[in-house]
Every structure is written in C-alpha cells, then in structure tokens.
Amino acid sequence: MSKIILSGDRPTGRLHVGHYVGSLKRRVELQNSGIYDKIFIMIADAQALTDNAEQPEKVRQNIIEVALDYLSCGLDPEKSTLLIQSQIPELCELSFYYMNLVTVSRLQRNPTVKSEIQMRNFEASIPVGFFTYPISQAADITAFQATTVPVGEDQLPMIEQTKEIVRKFNSVYGDTLVEPDALLPDNKACLRLPGIDGKSKMSKSLNNCIYLSDTEEEVRRKVMSMFTDPNHLQVSDPGQVEGNPVFIYLDAFCKDEFFAEYLPEYTNLEELKAHYTRGGLGDVKVKKFLNNVLQEELSGVRSKRKEWEKDIPAVYEILHKGSLKAREAAVKTLDSVKNSMKINYFDDHALITGQSEKYAQENV
Ligand code: TRP
C-alpha cells in the first residue's frame, strides 16, 4: 500500500510557533525523509468558512499567508502537493455520503468540537456546517487515501472520527476507503504549546501567539513579556519549571548546542532547570536565552518568507497547480466510493441493459 500524507490548516490567520512545533516541522521532516509516496498539504478554506461564513474576505486573505508560512518552513512544491480545499468539489460530495454514517450524538461527543463550540459561544445556535466539520475532515483525509495524518493533539478526535467512518463505510459497502493514522510530535512539549500568557492554547483571539512571520523585534518583545512562575519573584527564590511557559518553549525548541553558543555556563537544559528550581536564576536571563533559541529556529523561516513574498503570483500558481493535481486523486476516490455505493448507474452495464434483478426475468 502506498504511504500517503494529508494534513492541513484553516486559513483564519497566520501560522504560529504552536503550529510549527505541533505539526509543520514534522511535515517538512516527513517530506524530506523520502519514505512517502505522496504528500498533500491542504489549506482548509471551506472548513474555515464553517465558523466564518460572514467573513469570506478574512479567509480569502489568509490563504496566501498560510501558503507563505508553508513555503517558508520548507514545504517544497516539488515534493508536496499544496492545495486549496474549496477547489476540490469532490470533498463536498464525499462528505454528503459520509453524513449518513454518523449520528448527531456521535458528533456531539467530539471533544474538540465541544470545546470549540464553547469558545465561540455557539451553544445556542451552532451552524450545521460547523457542527459537521469532522465529517468533512474525514472526506479530506479519505479523498487522498491518506495513511498518515501529522497533526497536533487537538486533531486526534477528528482522526478517530475518520477511522470510524472508514470502518463503517467499508463494512456497509465493501472495502473502499483507507484507514488513516494520526502522527503526533514525539516531544511532549510540542503537543500543545501554551500561549505566551501561559493559557493552555495559542490562539489569535487570545492575542498570545508568536507568529512565524513576526519580526525579530516582535519575537524578542513577546518572549520578554512571557509569563513564568508567578511565585518566582526574586532571583534568589526557587522557581518552578513545570507548567512554566518559558521552560515549555525551551523543551520544545532547545538543542544542547545552543548552550555552547548562548549560555556556556550550562551544558544542557536539565542543568538550567536544576538551577532555576533551586533558586538564583532570574527570569530575564532565561528569557534572553529562549529568545536566542527561537531566533535561531525562526530566522531561516523569516528569510525564506521574504523571498517568496517577492513573487506572490508564483505562490498562487503553486496552489493552482497543486489543487488541480489533488483533484485528480479525489475524483478517483469519489468514483470508487460511488461504485461501492452502487450509485454509478450509467456505468453499470447490467443495470442499463435491463439484465439485473427484477427486469432480468422479464427480458429473457
Ligand atoms: N482542522 C484542522 C485545523 O483546524 C484543519 C484540517 C482540515 C485538517 N482538514 C484536515 C487537518 C484534514 C488534518 C487533516 O487546523
């Protein structure tokens, strides 16, 4: 069986370092590993519209932002197909048929949807499209016959839902769809990077993100304003590293070699943590180090972005070509889905020549 990757993001804003460690960086590594037969990376504009129906312009403008973020992180259009979800109408058709295989109560139990409904104050009036987006996500994944979906932890319920749809479909209509597996970051700190304010999630609406496209100065300012251990008031106080955003970011980004370069008194993160825990290490020093670490990781991304920003038409061309190529794959899957569901009337010779079941008798 081919090894195929599908992953994507909603274009509701620029991508941040949470996306980067949670999924983007992994996608680039997987792309460059050479072990995948096909890689599809999707800008999920149709999904973004499920809760932004009245802001089409926002979604439209952010497509290029996300595409620039992808390219500047190292996704390579020669190796990965970059596509825009809405340009693949087959995804809607697949979703419509999958809807018959999922119950309302099952959707209501989806923990990610539940918390998103709360976050958006949708309790009283959830748009139907939003409520059913896990089904459309199953269409995204299965349309490309994806075997592997590199995502952040918050997407696990979607993959679970997809697996259920695949099993149900295959058991009702015969083996047709491929069951995917999620691929999470191995580093625990990367699973869910908190915001710079220490809130559990980086989110544009909470204004607590460090964006991939932030300037050097913006990153520095944000790092210096980060929350730390609230009880670590004096340098001499013992500090806590668990749950401390500055240390969580270091867990996600720091490599031992950065110490030699920026903080030679220590050889690794464990030594730095030990010093902070026993007291005598100030937040400012740790933050300055974190800033250097982040700048190391982000400066390459930033300079690639500058290059691509000079040629926006080329970026749209990549998306256009990618969408056409992706559509070919989705058309094939939809064909086999319709075959399995026996809604392929005009391709069914026995049916149209009257030889099947009921009319077979009368025609002999
Ligand atoms: N739900 C994902 C997000 O919010 C975006 C997405 C849409 C996606 N379809 C997908 C991710 C399919 C993985 C696979 O970022």
Side-chain angles (χ1 to χ4, degrees):
M1 192 169 69
S2 306
K3 288 165 80 77
I4 300 177
I5 288 179
L6 176 283
S7 191
D9 303 274
R10 294 180 195 173
T12 50
R14 293 173 292 153
L15 300 181
H16 51 61
V17 294
H19 294 114
Y20 183 73
V21 293
S23 162
L24 272 174
K25 197 172 160 185
R26 190 63 172 282
R27 292 181 207 167
V28 175
E29 286 163 9
L30 296 171
Q31 166 194 274
N32 295 336
S33 74
I35 60 171
Y36 287 88
D37 300 294
K38 289 183 208 156
I39 302 175
F40 296 96
I41 306 293
M42 183 180 74
I43 303 183
D45 62 336
Q47 188 178 107
L49 286 165
T50 63
D51 63 333
N52 287 280
E54 288 161 37
Q55 283 133 294
E57 197 53 35
K58 166 174 136 188
V59 173
R60 181 181 161 88
Q61 295 303 334
N62 278 305
I63 288 176
I64 190 76
E65 297 297 333
V66 171
L68 286 166
D69 285 332
Y70 282 168
L71 294 165
S72 48
C73 285
L75 286 174
D76 173 357
E78 297 289 319
K79 298 181 187 153
S80 299
T81 304
L82 307 186
L83 65 127
I84 304 180
Q85 186 184 28
S86 62
Q87 304 307 297
I88 323 292
E90 288 70 24
L91 298 176
C92 299
E93 243 181 291
L94 287 173
S95 304
F96 193 67
Y97 296 126
Y98 296 170
M99 282 188 188
N100 304 332
L101 307 175
V102 181
T103 62
V104 171
S105 66
R106 175 62 183 87
L107 282 175
Q108 279 166 336
R109 281 202 310 273
N110 186 311
T112 302
V113 176
K114 254 193 196 165
S115 73
E116 286 174 327
I117 286 172
Q118 263 177 10
M119 248 171 69
R120 290 166 178 71
N121 293 322
F122 271 167
E123 278 93 338
S125 54
I126 311 166
V128 174
F130 180 80
F131 184 60
T132 58
Y133 92 76
I135 302 177
S136 110
Q137 196 153 332
D140 301 336
I141 295 169
T142 54
F144 302 105
Q145 325 233 345
T147 49
T148 309
V149 189
V151 280
E153 195 181 30
D154 63 323
Q155 296 298 305
L156 281 183
M158 307 302 157
I159 314 298
E160 202 38 57
Q161 182 101 60
T162 304
K163 283 170 175 278
E164 284 174 31
I165 291 175
V166 168
R167 286 186 212 127
K168 179 89 185 181
F169 189 101
N170 288 348
S171 79
V172 175
Y173 303 112
D175 245 355
T176 314
L177 300 173
V178 177
E179 198 173 313
D181 284 310
L183 192 61
L184 292 177
D186 329 306
N187 179 342
K188 258 189 83 189
C190 298
L191 281 180
R192 182 167 289 218
L193 209 62
I196 55 173
D197 56 359
K199 295 232 170 70
S200 71
K201 205 177 161 170
M202 246 189 215
S203 129
K204 192 174 47 153
S205 49
L206 297 173
N207 197 18
N208 63 0
C209 307
I210 297 178
Y211 292 102
L212 293 172
S213 50
D214 278 346
T215 62
E216 190 175 341
E217 183 44 35
E218 281 167 328
V219 172
R220 199 193 61 81
R221 192 175 44 73
K222 288 180 182 178
V223 170
M224 297 317 286
S225 75
M226 269 175 84
F227 279 41
T228 63
D229 171 5
N231 299 317
H232 185 243
L233 298 173
Q234 314 239 354
V235 172
S236 55
D237 291 341
Q240 195 170 338
V241 296
E242 289 84 35
N244 182 331
V246 175
F247 282 95
I248 300 176
Y249 281 41
L250 283 173
D251 277 328
F253 284 98
C254 187
K255 299 185 202 125
D256 288 351
E257 59 257 37
F258 292 144
F259 282 96
E261 170 124 28
Y262 298 111
L263 211 53
E265 306 108 276
Y266 308 90
T267 56
N268 60 39
L269 192 50
E270 289 322 303
E271 285 180 20
L272 187 75
K273 284 183 179 173
H275 191 183
Y276 191 82
T277 310
R278 60 170 193 270
L281 175 58
D283 284 332
V284 171
K285 188 163 176 179
V286 187
K287 285 180 177 178
K288 281 190 173 153
F289 177 59
L290 172 61
N291 178 54
N292 286 322
V293 168
L294 280 177
Q295 303 289 358
E296 279 275 346
E297 191 89 14
L298 297 179
S299 66
V301 175
R302 211 178 279 134
S303 60
K304 273 209 198 110
R305 197 179 217 274
K306 283 267 161 313
E307 285 307 303
W308 282 107
E309 281 174 357
K310 290 183 198 148
D311 199 356
I312 297 298
V315 180
Y316 278 110
E317 181 63 15
I318 288 167
L319 296 174
H320 191 185
K321 283 214 180 108
S323 301
L324 291 172
K325 182 165 168 204
R327 188 165 181 200
E328 286 170 22
V331 164
K332 281 198 192 125
T333 304
L334 181 63
D335 269 353
S336 71
V337 158
K338 287 172 131 179
N339 259 319
S340 301
M341 293 178 72
K342 299 194 180 303
I343 49 178
N344 57 342
Y345 315 116
F346 306 127
D347 296 331
D348 185 341
H349 185 74
L351 179 76
I352 54 189
T353 52
Q355 288 161 24
S356 71
E357 293 157 33
K358 181 172 171 198
Y359 295 106
Q361 303 296 335
E362 295 162 20
N363 283 348
V364 250

